[in-house]
């Protein structure tokens, strides 16, 4: 076996949540539990996306319109629209040949690390989306897990004093993972904050892996939607996006990664090599593309109607997030996120698990303990807005009742 796998911590967070919810349900069979813990969407695919999806399936049913293997990088009909709507209209100079369509940002953020050498230094946010950490553990780039952290990783700490947006460190780091709007904290990075990271990466010849899976939730016009809005980012940043949270594609599967032509990695002699060429080689060797009907469905997101529908979807979740923010603030909690993000990050005033337990036992509401995302998450819980309005409202009423009597 690959013995690095022995270093991995078992997915203790979600199994522990599952066990606690199961125990609670067994002891309280009449109580209906409301889940605001999940990072999964709850709304169906919208009309124009669904009809394009159906049309794509029908195309596969006759020889004239049938599609076999597609281009590994994704169909041009989709990459052209991504370049136009997600980048050029937003002032970012990204061309279709710099876009790689895939079946998920999770796979891409996990797979890309195989393009780098074993001995690079790696910076990960804390709290963090666990994929960045675990994939590097599997690859053998860390030591053992000691006192809640892997040896050999640089943890970029997010806390109340920096508003959960870490600044570049004093020392050199080769590869830096950033995620904004952030999962789990729901916070966003300003133009100035991202510019600091880009300046750092240029100075240090580092590479930024920028996960923008929640970009659709940004409403504040001053917040950059793409790392490429920062001048100089094309040389030092890769961007990951996904239709999962933005268009309800968690079960349909489509995402993309952007690697600009100027983005370089360096060999042992310091000679530059195109990262885009490496990724193209990797993808065309190990990946055969996303299914044609799914790419047709994704293309429909960029029609006039599709864009309106997707916007309405994120508006809906954002309204949920606002209700959560307002209620928790009203109850005296300090909250972060939830304004340009579907996640609300609530300061517990006690340990993460204590507030988690209290909300489960007194209100039958499931949240996610922040401690499960890293040591800086201790003392916080994440409340997700991915649910139906009536469920969110009922959960908040129950929480208000429980805490009025506290
Ligand atoms: C949900 C999520 C993704 C999306 O992953 P997919 O594989 O595209 O569904 C990526 N990054 C973060 C931080 C996420 O929360």
């Amino acid at each position: 076996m690959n013995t690095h796998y022995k270093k991995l911590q078992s997915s203790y967070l979600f199994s522990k949540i599952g066990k606690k919810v199961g125990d609670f349900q067994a002891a309280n069979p009449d109580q209906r539990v409301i889940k605001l813990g999940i990072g999964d969407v709850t709304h169906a695919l919208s009309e124009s996306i669904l009809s394009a999806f159906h049309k794509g399936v029908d195309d596969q049913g006759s020889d004239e319109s049938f599609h076999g293997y597609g281009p590994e990088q994704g169909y041009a009909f989709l990459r052209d629209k991504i370049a136009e709507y997600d980048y050029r209209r937003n002032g970012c100079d990204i061309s279709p040949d710099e876009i790689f369509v895939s079946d998920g940002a999770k796979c891409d953020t996990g797979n890309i690390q195989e393009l780098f050498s074993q001995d690079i230094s790696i910076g990960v946010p804390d709290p963090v989306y666990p994929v960045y950490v675990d994939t590097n553990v599997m690859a053998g780039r860390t030591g053992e897990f000691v006192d809640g952290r892997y040896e050999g990783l640089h943890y970029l700490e997010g806390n109340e004093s920096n508003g959960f947006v870490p600044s570049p460190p004093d020392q050199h780091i080769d590869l830096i993972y950033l995620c904004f709007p952030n999962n789990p904290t729901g916070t966003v990075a300003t133009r100035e904050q991202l510019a600091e990271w880009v300046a750092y990466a240029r100075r240090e010849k580092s590479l930024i892996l920028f996960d923008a899976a929640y970009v659709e939730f940004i409403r504040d016009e001053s917040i950059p939607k793409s790392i490429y809005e920062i001048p100089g980012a094309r040389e030092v940043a890769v961007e990951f996006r996904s239709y999962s949270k933005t268009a309800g594609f968690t079960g349909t599967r489509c995402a993309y990664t952007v690697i600009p032509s100027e983005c370089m990695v360096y060999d042992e002699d310091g000679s530059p090599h195109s990262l885009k060429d490496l990724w193209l080689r990797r993808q065309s060797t190990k990946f055969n593309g996303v299914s044609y009907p799914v790419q047709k469905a994704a293309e429909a997101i960029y029609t006039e109607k599709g864009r309106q529908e997707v916007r309405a979807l994120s508006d809906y979740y954002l309204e949920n997030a606002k209700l959560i923010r307002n209620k928790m603030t009203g109850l005296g909690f300090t909250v972060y996120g939830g304004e340009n993000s579907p996640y609300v990050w609530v300061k517990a005033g006690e340990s993460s698990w204590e507030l988690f337990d209290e909300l489960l036992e007194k209100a039958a509401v499931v949240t996610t303990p922040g401690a499960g995302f890293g040591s800086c998450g201790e003392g916080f819980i994440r409340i997700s807005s991915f649910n139906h309005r009536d469920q969110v409202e009922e959960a908040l009423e129950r929480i208000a009742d429980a805490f009025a009597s506290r």
Side-chain angles (χ1 to χ4, degrees), residues 39 102-109 129 132 179 181-183 211-214 240-245 249-250 253-255 343 382:
S102 79
D103 59 347
K106 184 186 200 175
C107 332
D108 287 353
T109 52
Y129 179 58
Y132 316 148
C179 172
N182 187 260
N183 179 11
D211 185 343
Y214 297 91
F240 303 92
R241 290 202 188 181
S242 168
Y243 301 113
S244 283
K245 317 303 175 7
F249 270 53
T250 52
R253 311 306 304 143
C254 197
Y343 299 127
R382 187 190 75 178

Side-chain angles (χ1 to χ4, degrees), residues 205 235 261-275 277-278:
K205 282 194 173 175
E235 286 84 355
S261 308
E262 294 93 320
C263 207
M264 293 294 147
V265 280
Y266 302 89
D267 64 19
E268 62 277 24
D269 303 324
S271 308
H273 296 262
S274 158
L275 186 65
D277 292 350
L278 259 58

Side-chain angles (χ1 to χ4, degrees), residues 17-271:
I17 292 172
K19 178 164 189 327
K20 280 179 180 274
V21 174
D23 290 350
F24 174 82
Q25 200 69 90
N28 304 276
D30 303 334
Q31 289 253 41
R32 199 174 48 81
V33 170
I34 299 178
K35 293 189 173 152
L36 299 182
I38 39 170
D40 193 359
V41 297
T42 48
H43 280 55
L45 294 178
S46 69
E47 205 181 292
S48 37
I49 295 172
L50 194 67
S51 87
F53 201 175
H54 276 298
K55 168 85 172 50
V57 172
D58 288 340
D59 284 351
Q60 295 297 74
S62 73
D63 289 352
E64 291 71 45
S65 51
F66 171 79
H67 288 70
Y69 286 125
E72 287 98 348
Q73 223 179 317
Y75 283 102
F77 63 72
L78 179 55
R79 287 185 293 115
D80 288 349
K81 302 224 167 48
I82 294 170
E84 175 62 21
Y85 287 94
D86 290 345
Y87 292 101
R88 287 178 182 153
R89 290 196 179 193
N90 196 29
C92 301
D93 177 26
I94 295 294
S95 72
D97 75 294
E98 296 170 319
I99 294 163
F100 296 78
V101 175
S102 79
D103 59 347
K106 184 186 200 175
C107 332
D108 287 353
T109 52
N111 289 334
I112 198 159
Q113 49 78 29
E114 75 175 59
L115 304 185
F116 310 114
S117 87
Q118 276 305 106
D119 57 0
I120 54 168
S121 49
I122 294 167
V124 290
D126 179 1
V128 69
Y129 179 58
V131 175
Y132 316 148
V133 174
D134 287 358
T135 52
N136 279 291
V137 174
M138 292 169 174
R141 290 202 188 82
T142 72
E144 296 294 333
F145 191 74
V146 180
D147 296 333
R149 287 185 164 183
Y150 287 99
E151 292 172 331
L153 282 185
H154 294 275
Y155 287 88
L156 308 166
E157 299 198 347
N159 48 45
E160 288 192 279
S161 62
N162 61 19
F164 296 95
V165 181
S167 301
D170 295 331
Q171 81 261 51
H172 172 83
I173 300 176
D174 294 309
L175 187 67
I176 297 140
Y177 290 83
L178 295 178
C179 172
F180 293 108
N182 187 260
N183 179 11
T185 66
T187 52
V188 288
T190 63
R191 195 168 301 276
E192 293 68 33
Q193 287 166 325
L194 288 185
E196 263 188 66
W197 277 108
V198 168
Y200 172 89
R202 292 178 66 90
R203 191 171 66 238
E204 298 288 331
K205 282 194 173 175
S206 311
L207 184 71
I208 296 171
L209 301 180
F210 191 76
D211 185 343
Y214 297 91
V215 61
E216 185 63 28
F217 294 88
I218 295 178
R219 290 293 180 275
D220 182 339
E221 301 265 311
S222 71
I223 300 297
K225 291 191 166 160
S226 166
I227 188 89
Y228 305 118
E229 289 181 42
I230 310 300
R234 282 181 57 89
E235 286 84 355
V236 293
V238 172
E239 184 163 288
F240 303 92
R241 290 202 188 181
S242 168
Y243 301 113
S244 283
K245 317 303 175 7
T246 62
F249 270 53
T250 52
T252 303
R253 311 306 304 143
C254 197
Y256 63 86
T257 290
V258 179
I259 309 183
S261 308
E262 294 93 320
C263 207
M264 293 294 147
V265 280
Y266 302 89
D267 64 19
E268 62 277 24
D269 303 324
S271 308

